[in-house]
Amino acid sequence: MDQLTTFFSMGSYGAYVWPAYLLTAAVMLSLLLTTLQRLRRNQAELAQLESLRAVEDQQELQKKAVRS
Amino acid sequence: MSVFHRFANPNRFLKLTNTVLPWVSGLTAISLLAGLYMAFFTSPADYQQGESVRIMYVHVPAAWMAMFVYSSIAFASICALIWRHPLADLAAKASAPIGAGFTFLALATGALWGKPMWGAWWVWDARLTSVLILFFLYLGHMALMNAFEDQERGNRAAAVLAIVGFINVPIIKFSVDWWNTLHQPASVMRMDGPSIDPSMLWPLLVMGVAFKLFYLVVLLIRIKSELIEAKLRKYRRALVDNA
Amino acid sequence: MTRKSRRIYILAVSFTLLAAATFLVMNALDENLSYFHSPTDLKTKEVTIGRSLRLGGLVEEGTWVKLEGGLTHRFSITDNAESVEVTYKGIMPDLFREGQGVITEGSLNEQGEFIAHEVLAKHDENYMPAEVTEALKASGEWRGEEGQTTQ
C-alpha cells in the first residue's frame, strides 16, 4: 500500500506526471478510434452499394434472359 | 521512381497494407507496453529533476513525431506537386491530424513539465514559439485541404503551404543553439553523442519507436479509408447517372 | 523542358528564395529572437534604468543568500565573464540551484543591481540517475553542483 502511494505521488510531481500520460493516452486513443470508426463506416457503405449494384446487375441479366 | 510507382498503385497498396497492418499493430502494442514499463519501473529519477523527468518519455517522442510527421507531409507534397502520385495527396491529408495531435501533446506535456521545473507553464522563447507555429501550420494545412469545392485545388494549396512551412522544421531543431532560450539544447540528437544516461536513453528510444509505429498504423488505416471513400464517390456518381 | 522538370525547377527556385528570405529576416531579428540577455550584454550595452528585460546565466556559486525569513533572495548571475547582482522577492522554482542556469525578468536600478520580479530555472541537457551522482559524491569524484546546499 505504501509502495503504491509513493509510486503514485511521483516524488510530489504526480500532479504533473500523471496528467501528461493521461493526456497522451487520450489523444492517441481518440486518433486511433476516430480513424477506425471512419474506416468501419466507409466499409459498411461500400458493402451496401456493392450489393445494390449486384442486384441491379442481376436484374439486367434477367431482363436479357427474358428478351432472348 | 519505379518503386514509388509500384506503391502508388492503390490496389497494390491496399493488398500490401492488409498484410502488413496486423504485424505493425502488434509491434506497436509491444513497444508501447515495453516503453511504458521502462519509463515507470526500470528508469531512475534524475539527479536534478527527480521523478518529474518521466514526463520526458512522452514529451520528447511527441515532439520528434511533430517534426517527423511534418517532414513526411512536406515530402509527400513534393511528390504530389511534381510527380502527381495518386497516393501522395492522400498520405499528406491522412498525416495532418496525426501530426497536429502529436504537436498538441508536445506543447501540453511540455507545459506540464515546465511548470514544476522552470516555474512557468509557457514562455515565448524561440523553441516554444516555433513549435506553436508548427501547430498552426498543421491546422492551416487541414483547413486548406477542405477549403475548396474542387478537391484538387485544395490539395494543391495545402501542398504549397506544407512545403513553404517546412522552413520551420530546421528552425525548431536549431532554435536552442542559435538563440538564448529557456528550453535546454538537444540531449539525444547532438554531434558529440547523447548527454543522457543509458538507463534513461533506452526507454526514450523505445517510446520513440513505439510512437513512430503508431503513426504508421493510423496512417495506413486512414489512407485505406480515403481510398474507400474515393470508390464510394465513384459509385454514388454512377448511381446518380443511372437514375 | 518537360512539364515535370519545369515543376521541379519552379519548386526548387521558390524554396531557395524563401529560405534566403527567412535567413535574412532571422538575421535582422537576431537580438529580438533571443529570450534573455547575458550579464556581458548588460555591462557592455546601453541599458535604460527601470526598463523591463530578461537576464540569464548561471547562479554564481556561494552567492545565494535568503533574507527576511527566506522571502527575499539575493544572488549573482554570471556568464563566467561578467556578473550581475540580483534581488528577488518571491518563491523560487524547484530547480533553482547555485551553479545552474537561471533566467530572471526585471530591471536595473541606479546602483546597477537587477531587481527581478520573476525567476525561471533553466536546466541543461544532461540527464543522470540520482544514484549515480550520489555514488560519485561518496567517492569524491563529483564536480557537478558543489555548494548546492549552502543557503
Side-chain angles (χ1 to χ4, degrees):
Chain A
M1 198 51 224
D2 244 18
Q3 265 179 321
L4 264 182
T5 4
T6 39
F7 179 71
F8 282 111
S9 82
M10 277 289 146
S12 83
Y13 292 123
Y16 302 101
V17 175
W18 296 116
Y21 277 84
L22 287 178
L23 207 61
T24 308
V27 168
M28 286 170 75
L29 263 180
S30 54
L31 267 175
L32 183 67
L33 290 181
T34 50
T35 301
L36 280 175
Q37 200 185 10
R38 223 181 89 197
L39 177 72
R40 297 264 153 73
R41 212 179 43 220
N42 287 343
Q43 278 175 330
E45 198 179 339
L46 184 70
Q48 208 182 357
L49 282 180
E50 264 169 357
S51 68
L52 207 69
R53 261 172 62 136
V55 170
E56 273 178 10
D57 287 350
Q58 203 107 47
Q59 286 168 344
E60 204 80 4
L61 275 179
Q62 276 169 355
K63 269 186 212 158
K64 270 187 200 154
V66 171
R67 255 183 254 138
S68 63
Chain B
M1 289 329 290
S2 65
V3 181
F4 279 135
H5 280 297
R6 204 170 327 140
F7 290 117
N9 177 319
N11 284 327
R12 202 169 283 140
F13 174 85
L14 271 181
K15 213 186 247 172
L16 186 79
T17 297
N18 288 338
T19 40
V20 161
L21 209 46
W23 294 96
V24 187
S25 307
L27 272 177
T28 309
I30 291 168
S31 55
L32 210 49
L33 286 175
L36 281 174
Y37 178 78
M38 290 166 90
F40 282 119
F41 300 110
T42 69
S43 75
D46 182 63
Y47 78 122
Q48 291 286 353
Q49 310 192 31
E51 304 285 349
S52 79
V53 77
R54 298 190 201 283
I55 295 175
M56 174 174 70
Y57 305 122
V58 285
H59 170 73
V60 173
W64 283 341
M65 290 315 292
M67 292 199 281
F68 178 79
V69 175
Y70 196 88
S71 309
S72 313
I73 293 177
F75 178 72
S77 302
I78 292 173
C79 293
L81 283 186
I82 295 177
W83 293 285
R84 303 277 146 93
H85 284 296
L87 276 176
D89 279 323
L90 289 188
K93 188 179 184 188
S95 291
I98 313 173
F102 279 123
T103 313
F104 168 76
L105 280 178
L107 291 167
T109 57
L112 284 164
W113 197 5
K115 184 61 187 166
M117 289 300 106
W118 298 339
W121 299 103
W122 178 265
V123 294
W124 293 99
D125 81 350
R127 169 57 74 82
L128 277 67
T129 308
S130 53
V131 175
L132 186 66
I133 291 173
L134 181 73
F135 183 61
F136 291 145
L137 280 171
Y138 275 119
L139 296 187
H141 186 270
M142 283 154 66
L144 262 187
M145 274 251 165
N146 302 311
F148 296 89
E149 195 77 10
D150 174 16
Q151 180 71 48
E152 191 56 38
R153 277 182 70 192
N155 290 348
R156 202 75 56 81
V160 170
L161 175 76
I163 295 168
V164 167
F166 182 72
I167 211 93
N168 191 32
V169 171
I171 293 179
I172 294 175
K173 168 72 185 143
F174 296 110
S175 57
V176 287
D177 304 320
W178 290 341
W179 302 293
N180 290 332
T181 54
L182 178 59
H183 197 284
Q184 71 279 9
S187 295
V188 180
M189 290 180 221
R190 40 185 287 146
M191 300 297 280
D192 49 353
S195 64
I196 172 168
D197 191 84
S199 60
M200 297 155 138
L201 181 59
W202 277 111
L204 186 56
L205 293 180
V206 173
M207 285 299 264
V209 169
F211 275 38
K212 214 155 266 181
L213 288 170
F214 175 84
Y215 166 53
L216 189 60
V217 170
V218 178
L219 176 69
L220 288 176
I221 300 175
R222 288 186 90 95
I223 296 181
K224 194 167 144 182
S225 208
E226 291 281 349
L227 285 172
I228 294 177
E229 254 168 55
K231 216 185 246 178
L232 283 174
R233 275 194 294 272
K234 213 165 71 189
Y235 280 177
R236 278 197 215 107
R237 221 175 299 136
L239 276 179
V240 171
D241 290 348
N242 276 359
Chain C
M1 227 188 311
T2 65
R3 285 176 61 191
K4 195 167 77 185
S5 62
R6 202 180 65 212
R7 287 199 290 256
I8 295 177
Y9 181 71
I10 292 173
L11 215 56
V13 168
S14 36
F15 192 79
T16 314
L17 284 176
L18 178 77
T22 313
F23 176 77
L24 288 175
V25 169
M26 287 194 325
N27 236 12
L29 288 177
D30 196 31
E31 276 286 286
N32 301 311
L33 287 172
S34 275
Y35 189 63
F36 58 87
H37 300 272
S38 68
T40 307
D41 290 341
L42 241 61
K43 294 266 156 110
T44 54
K45 285 174 194 156
E46 276 305 307
V47 179
T48 322
I49 283 163
R51 214 190 109 210
S52 182
L53 57 92
R54 290 192 202 90
L55 168 70
L58 297 173
V59 181
E60 201 168 346
E61 302 278 358
T63 60
W64 184 15
V65 191
K66 286 185 193 174
L67 307 167
E68 295 168 33
L71 258 176
T72 304
H73 304 260
R74 265 169 169 292
F75 53 92
S76 292
I77 293 182
T78 177
D79 55 4
N80 294 325
E82 295 283 353
S83 72
V84 175
E85 206 161 306
V86 181
T87 309
Y88 168 65
K89 198 172 197 169
I91 300 159
M92 283 291 186
D94 292 4
L95 267 188
F96 184 87
R97 262 147 238 194
E98 292 188 341
Q100 286 281 323
V102 73
I103 294 171
T104 60
E105 191 170 353
S107 56
L108 272 181
N109 67 8
E110 277 89 1
Q111 286 80 47
E113 272 181 336
F114 194 79
I115 312 299
H117 57 79
E118 193 182 18
V119 169
L120 298 174
K122 181 173 158 64
H123 65 82
D124 58 22
E125 65 275 32
N126 297 309
Y127 294 88
M128 229 186 292
E131 298 93 71
V132 172
T133 59
E134 268 153 37
L136 281 173
K137 274 176 197 159
S139 65
E141 297 277 315
W142 178 245
R143 297 276 175 272
E145 11 138 18
E146 288 143 2
Q148 183 206 320
T149 44
T150 347
Q151 288 179 359

